[in-house]
Amino acid sequence: MTLDSTRTEELPIYASLIRERGDVVEEARVVAEETQHQMTQALNGVAVTPHEPGAH
C-alpha cells in the first residue's frame, strides 16, 4: 500500500504520528524542493543566499 493511493485519514497510526511528531515527510519534501531550486540557480550562475534553518 502506498500513501499516494490512501488518504491519511484512513491511516490512524500515521495520522497520530504526524500529530505527535510533525510531518517529517512533508518537511523533507519542502527542503528537497528548496535545495533543487538553489542548485538550479547555482548551475545557472545565479547567486544563492542561504536561508536560516526553519525560516520559510
Side-chain angles (χ1 to χ4, degrees), residues 21-52:
R21 310 249 172 153
D23 193 345
V24 176
V25 174
E26 174 64 16
E27 292 173 20
R29 183 192 62 77
V30 169
V31 171
E33 287 177 355
E34 289 174 357
T35 302
Q36 183 178 17
H37 177 71
Q38 291 174 358
M39 291 302 102
T40 299
Q41 288 184 323
L43 291 172
N44 290 331
V46 178
V48 178
T49 55
H51 292 89
E52 290 193 23

Side-chain angles (χ1 to χ4, degrees), residues 1 5-15:
M1 170 173 41
S5 65
T6 307
R7 296 183 338 198
T8 54
E9 298 89 40
E10 296 171 0
L11 300 171
I13 294 172
Y14 184 75

